[in-house]
Amino acid sequence: QTCALPICFATRGEKGLMVLGLAVASCSGLGIPAWIFLLARSLDTFSSLGVLIAALPGGKGSDGLKDILTQEMTQLSIAFMIVGIITFMTGATYVAIWTYTGSRQSVRIEKQFVKSVLNQDAAWFDLNDREELPTKMGTSLVYIRTSIGRNVADTWMLGTSALGCLAVAIWLNSALAVIMLAVIPIVALVMLVFNYFIRKVNRTASEQLAIAGSIATEVVAGIKTVAALCAKTHFIKAYKK
């Protein structure tokens, strides 16, 4: 159900936009492998021409090689510029698409949440703190908006880029690529541990924020009573805790 969240509240048109956004994100992700491929090609070309120029006796014929070198540099510069423009345009496009669809879906989720809360019976409100509901809803919607927005396309783009870089590495030097692959499990383990602690901290922060929001809502609703009883210091200390 969580994996289907980015599409379960989307309309048919928004689903089409998201598919288009993923396709554009794939093009953007292939920009880095293309840049690496062009860089490797340029290094090989310049190295070969440099060796030929140095090997010529007395510099004879070096002018022609220098012209070839200049031509290669011009072509590679144009290729780098084209890759950069395409990457920039596709990156801006998929970010705009997924930000738009994520915002539209988060509004629908908010409406559905409010509707579900209003349909609950009295016993449900006895089990759940009514004062914490607005803060919990606001915090949860921020996480949901982030999760179903551009983060999905960013993850897709980075995955495409990683696969493309791996393919280029295998094509350039398969032995070195195998060594790099051996390090991936260690990096993945470190990322899992880091992600676990980040989620734990976010969960604790959300709970504390909900409690603090409950106190703030209660104080604002009964501000006259709080002022009459001179209980401002008490509630400030409770909010800080």
Side-chain angles (χ1 to χ4, degrees), residues 14 17 28 34 37 39 60 69 103 106 109 127 134 138-139 155 159 167 219-220 227:
E14 289 172 353
L17 283 176
S28 179
F37 175 79
L39 180 61
K60 295 180 180 180
L69 180 61
S103 299
S106 64
I109 293 173
L127 297 175
T139 306
T155 303
V219 171
V220 172

PDB file of all heavy atoms in Angstrom, residues 14 17 28 34 37 39 60 69 103 106 109 127 134 138-139 155 159 167 219-220 227:
ATOM      1  N   GLU A  14      -2.833  12.727 -14.328  1.00  0.00           N
ATOM      2  CA  GLU A  14      -1.634  12.859 -13.492  1.00  0.00           C
ATOM      3  C   GLU A  14      -0.760  11.618 -13.577  1.00  0.00           C
ATOM      4  O   GLU A  14       0.469  11.726 -13.528  1.00  0.00           O
ATOM      5  CB  GLU A  14      -2.055  13.130 -12.048  1.00  0.00           C
ATOM      6  CG  GLU A  14      -2.644  14.515 -11.848  1.00  0.00           C
ATOM      7  CD  GLU A  14      -3.232  14.707 -10.475  1.00  0.00           C
ATOM      8  OE1 GLU A  14      -3.305  13.717  -9.705  1.00  0.00           O
ATOM      9  OE2 GLU A  14      -3.639  15.834 -10.165  1.00  0.00           O
ATOM     10  N   LEU A  17       1.207  12.053 -16.635  1.00  0.00           N
ATOM     11  CA  LEU A  17       2.280  13.016 -16.405  1.00  0.00           C
ATOM     12  C   LEU A  17       3.429  12.387 -15.615  1.00  0.00           C
ATOM     13  O   LEU A  17       4.605  12.654 -15.894  1.00  0.00           O
ATOM     14  CB  LEU A  17       1.742  14.232 -15.653  1.00  0.00           C
ATOM     15  CG  LEU A  17       0.931  15.244 -16.455  1.00  0.00           C
ATOM     16  CD1 LEU A  17       0.390  16.343 -15.537  1.00  0.00           C
ATOM     17  CD2 LEU A  17       1.797  15.856 -17.553  1.00  0.00           C
ATOM     18  N   SER A  28      17.537  12.512 -18.028  1.00  0.00           N
ATOM     19  CA  SER A  28      18.394  13.351 -17.192  1.00  0.00           C
ATOM     20  C   SER A  28      19.457  12.521 -16.474  1.00  0.00           C
ATOM     21  O   SER A  28      20.610  12.949 -16.346  1.00  0.00           O
ATOM     22  CB  SER A  28      17.535  14.098 -16.166  1.00  0.00           C
ATOM     23  OG  SER A  28      18.334  14.902 -15.323  1.00  0.00           O
ATOM     24  N   ALA A  34      26.862   9.804 -19.969  1.00  0.00           N
ATOM     25  CA  ALA A  34      27.296  10.384 -21.245  1.00  0.00           C
ATOM     26  C   ALA A  34      28.486  11.306 -21.052  1.00  0.00           C
ATOM     27  O   ALA A  34      29.434  11.309 -21.862  1.00  0.00           O
ATOM     28  CB  ALA A  34      26.130  11.162 -21.878  1.00  0.00           C
ATOM     29  N   PHE A  37      31.530   9.133 -20.517  1.00  0.00           N
ATOM     30  CA  PHE A  37      31.951   8.545 -21.787  1.00  0.00           C
ATOM     31  C   PHE A  37      32.703   9.564 -22.640  1.00  0.00           C
ATOM     32  O   PHE A  37      33.750   9.260 -23.228  1.00  0.00           O
ATOM     33  CB  PHE A  37      30.720   8.018 -22.535  1.00  0.00           C
ATOM     34  CG  PHE A  37      31.018   7.507 -23.910  1.00  0.00           C
ATOM     35  CD1 PHE A  37      31.567   6.250 -24.104  1.00  0.00           C
ATOM     36  CD2 PHE A  37      30.751   8.292 -25.027  1.00  0.00           C
ATOM     37  CE1 PHE A  37      31.846   5.777 -25.370  1.00  0.00           C
ATOM     38  CE2 PHE A  37      31.033   7.829 -26.297  1.00  0.00           C
ATOM     39  CZ  PHE A  37      31.589   6.570 -26.478  1.00  0.00           C
ATOM     40  N   LEU A  39      34.266  12.221 -21.575  1.00  0.00           N
ATOM     41  CA  LEU A  39      35.531  12.546 -20.922  1.00  0.00           C
ATOM     42  C   LEU A  39      36.583  11.475 -21.195  1.00  0.00           C
ATOM     43  O   LEU A  39      37.754  11.790 -21.486  1.00  0.00           O
ATOM     44  CB  LEU A  39      35.310  12.696 -19.415  1.00  0.00           C
ATOM     45  CG  LEU A  39      36.545  13.045 -18.576  1.00  0.00           C
ATOM     46  CD1 LEU A  39      37.118  14.391 -19.012  1.00  0.00           C
ATOM     47  CD2 LEU A  39      36.193  13.066 -17.089  1.00  0.00           C
ATOM     48  N   LYS A  60      58.187  17.924 -37.297  1.00  0.00           N
ATOM     49  CA  LYS A  60      57.631  17.886 -38.650  1.00  0.00           C
ATOM     50  C   LYS A  60      56.239  17.258 -38.630  1.00  0.00           C
ATOM     51  O   LYS A  60      56.036  16.192 -38.061  1.00  0.00           O
ATOM     52  CB  LYS A  60      58.542  17.080 -39.577  1.00  0.00           C
ATOM     53  CG  LYS A  60      59.916  17.716 -39.784  1.00  0.00           C
ATOM     54  CD  LYS A  60      60.765  16.879 -40.696  1.00  0.00           C
ATOM     55  CE  LYS A  60      62.147  17.523 -40.912  1.00  0.00           C
ATOM     56  NZ  LYS A  60      63.008  16.702 -41.812  1.00  0.00           N
ATOM     57  N   LEU A  69      43.936  18.092 -33.237  1.00  0.00           N
ATOM     58  CA  LEU A  69      43.675  18.236 -31.805  1.00  0.00           C
ATOM     59  C   LEU A  69      42.673  19.362 -31.541  1.00  0.00           C
ATOM     60  O   LEU A  69      41.741  19.219 -30.736  1.00  0.00           O
ATOM     61  CB  LEU A  69      44.992  18.504 -31.074  1.00  0.00           C
ATOM     62  CG  LEU A  69      44.896  18.693 -29.547  1.00  0.00           C
ATOM     63  CD1 LEU A  69      44.332  17.451 -28.892  1.00  0.00           C
ATOM     64  CD2 LEU A  69      46.267  19.031 -28.970  1.00  0.00           C
ATOM     65  N   SER A 103       1.846  17.778  -5.252  1.00  0.00           N
ATOM     66  CA  SER A 103       1.058  18.793  -4.558  1.00  0.00           C
ATOM     67  C   SER A 103      -0.436  18.539  -4.733  1.00  0.00           C
ATOM     68  O   SER A 103      -1.221  18.660  -3.777  1.00  0.00           O
ATOM     69  CB  SER A 103       1.423  20.178  -5.082  1.00  0.00           C
ATOM     70  OG  SER A 103       2.786  20.462  -4.858  1.00  0.00           O
ATOM     71  N   SER A 106      -1.418  15.558  -2.544  1.00  0.00           N
ATOM     72  CA  SER A 106      -1.381  15.855  -1.113  1.00  0.00           C
ATOM     73  C   SER A 106      -2.630  16.629  -0.680  1.00  0.00           C
ATOM     74  O   SER A 106      -3.135  16.433   0.439  1.00  0.00           O
ATOM     75  CB  SER A 106      -0.120  16.656  -0.775  1.00  0.00           C
ATOM     76  OG  SER A 106      -0.127  17.920  -1.410  1.00  0.00           O
ATOM     77  N   ILE A 109      -5.307  14.025  -0.328  1.00  0.00           N
ATOM     78  CA  ILE A 109      -5.088  13.235   0.890  1.00  0.00           C
ATOM     79  C   ILE A 109      -5.528  14.018   2.117  1.00  0.00           C
ATOM     80  O   ILE A 109      -6.138  13.459   3.045  1.00  0.00           O
ATOM     81  CB  ILE A 109      -3.601  12.839   0.993  1.00  0.00           C
ATOM     82  CG1 ILE A 109      -3.240  11.872  -0.130  1.00  0.00           C
ATOM     83  CG2 ILE A 109      -3.297  12.218   2.345  1.00  0.00           C
ATOM     84  CD1 ILE A 109      -1.762  11.563  -0.216  1.00  0.00           C
ATOM     85  N   LEU A 127      -9.935   7.889  22.429  1.00  0.00           N
ATOM     86  CA  LEU A 127      -8.660   7.168  22.364  1.00  0.00           C
ATOM     87  C   LEU A 127      -7.534   8.021  21.771  1.00  0.00           C
ATOM     88  O   LEU A 127      -6.364   7.727  21.978  1.00  0.00           O
ATOM     89  CB  LEU A 127      -8.828   5.893  21.526  1.00  0.00           C
ATOM     90  CG  LEU A 127      -9.796   4.843  22.075  1.00  0.00           C
ATOM     91  CD1 LEU A 127      -9.940   3.694  21.078  1.00  0.00           C
ATOM     92  CD2 LEU A 127      -9.290   4.312  23.412  1.00  0.00           C
ATOM     93  N   PRO A 134      -4.348  18.252  14.731  1.00  0.00           N
ATOM     94  CA  PRO A 134      -3.902  19.209  13.704  1.00  0.00           C
ATOM     95  C   PRO A 134      -2.395  19.169  13.455  1.00  0.00           C
ATOM     96  O   PRO A 134      -1.949  19.226  12.306  1.00  0.00           O
ATOM     97  CB  PRO A 134      -4.347  20.565  14.273  1.00  0.00           C
ATOM     98  CG  PRO A 134      -5.455  20.240  15.217  1.00  0.00           C
ATOM     99  CD  PRO A 134      -5.086  18.916  15.811  1.00  0.00           C
ATOM    100  N   GLY A 138      -0.581  18.017  10.000  1.00  0.00           N
ATOM    101  CA  GLY A 138       0.330  18.893   9.277  1.00  0.00           C
ATOM    102  C   GLY A 138       1.690  18.261   9.052  1.00  0.00           C
ATOM    103  O   GLY A 138       2.249  18.320   7.945  1.00  0.00           O
ATOM    104  N   THR A 139       2.228  17.620  10.113  1.00  0.00           N
ATOM    105  CA  THR A 139       3.544  16.981   9.987  1.00  0.00           C
ATOM    106  C   THR A 139       3.503  15.807   9.019  1.00  0.00           C
ATOM    107  O   THR A 139       4.390  15.643   8.181  1.00  0.00           O
ATOM    108  CB  THR A 139       4.024  16.499  11.361  1.00  0.00           C
ATOM    109  OG1 THR A 139       3.998  17.582  12.286  1.00  0.00           O
ATOM    110  CG2 THR A 139       5.435  15.956  11.282  1.00  0.00           C
ATOM    111  N   THR A 155      14.853   9.536  -7.132  1.00  0.00           N
ATOM    112  CA  THR A 155      15.363   8.181  -6.916  1.00  0.00           C
ATOM    113  C   THR A 155      15.466   7.432  -8.229  1.00  0.00           C
ATOM    114  O   THR A 155      16.455   6.719  -8.488  1.00  0.00           O
ATOM    115  CB  THR A 155      14.423   7.419  -5.948  1.00  0.00           C
ATOM    116  OG1 THR A 155      14.319   8.150  -4.724  1.00  0.00           O
ATOM    117  CG2 THR A 155      14.968   6.028  -5.667  1.00  0.00           C
ATOM    118  N   GLY A 159      18.946   6.121  -9.897  1.00  0.00           N
ATOM    119  CA  GLY A 159      19.112   4.716 -10.251  1.00  0.00           C
ATOM    120  C   GLY A 159      19.508   4.535 -11.702  1.00  0.00           C
ATOM    121  O   GLY A 159      20.389   3.733 -12.036  1.00  0.00           O
ATOM    122  N   ALA A 167      27.431   0.651 -16.601  1.00  0.00           N
ATOM    123  CA  ALA A 167      27.621   0.158 -17.971  1.00  0.00           C
ATOM    124  C   ALA A 167      28.836   0.793 -18.636  1.00  0.00           C
ATOM    125  O   ALA A 167      29.622   0.111 -19.301  1.00  0.00           O
ATOM    126  CB  ALA A 167      26.354   0.451 -18.794  1.00  0.00           C
ATOM    127  N   VAL A 219      -3.298  26.186  25.079  1.00  0.00           N
ATOM    128  CA  VAL A 219      -3.024  27.487  25.685  1.00  0.00           C
ATOM    129  C   VAL A 219      -3.702  28.607  24.903  1.00  0.00           C
ATOM    130  O   VAL A 219      -4.307  29.523  25.479  1.00  0.00           O
ATOM    131  CB  VAL A 219      -1.504  27.727  25.755  1.00  0.00           C
ATOM    132  CG1 VAL A 219      -1.203  29.151  26.171  1.00  0.00           C
ATOM    133  CG2 VAL A 219      -0.869  26.758  26.730  1.00  0.00           C
ATOM    134  N   VAL A 220      -3.613  28.547  23.556  1.00  0.00           N
ATOM    135  CA  VAL A 220      -4.231  29.596  22.745  1.00  0.00           C
ATOM    136  C   VAL A 220      -5.748  29.588  22.900  1.00  0.00           C
ATOM    137  O   VAL A 220      -6.390  30.653  22.965  1.00  0.00           O
ATOM    138  CB  VAL A 220      -3.828  29.409  21.270  1.00  0.00           C
ATOM    139  CG1 VAL A 220      -4.607  30.356  20.376  1.00  0.00           C
ATOM    140  CG2 VAL A 220      -2.338  29.638  21.098  1.00  0.00           C
ATOM    141  N   ALA A 227      -3.954  33.407  31.480  1.00  0.00           N
ATOM    142  CA  ALA A 227      -3.503  34.699  31.979  1.00  0.00           C
ATOM    143  C   ALA A 227      -4.089  35.010  33.349  1.00  0.00           C
ATOM    144  O   ALA A 227      -3.408  35.570  34.227  1.00  0.00           O
ATOM    145  CB  ALA A 227      -3.883  35.798  30.979  1.00  0.00           C
TER     146      ALA A 227
END
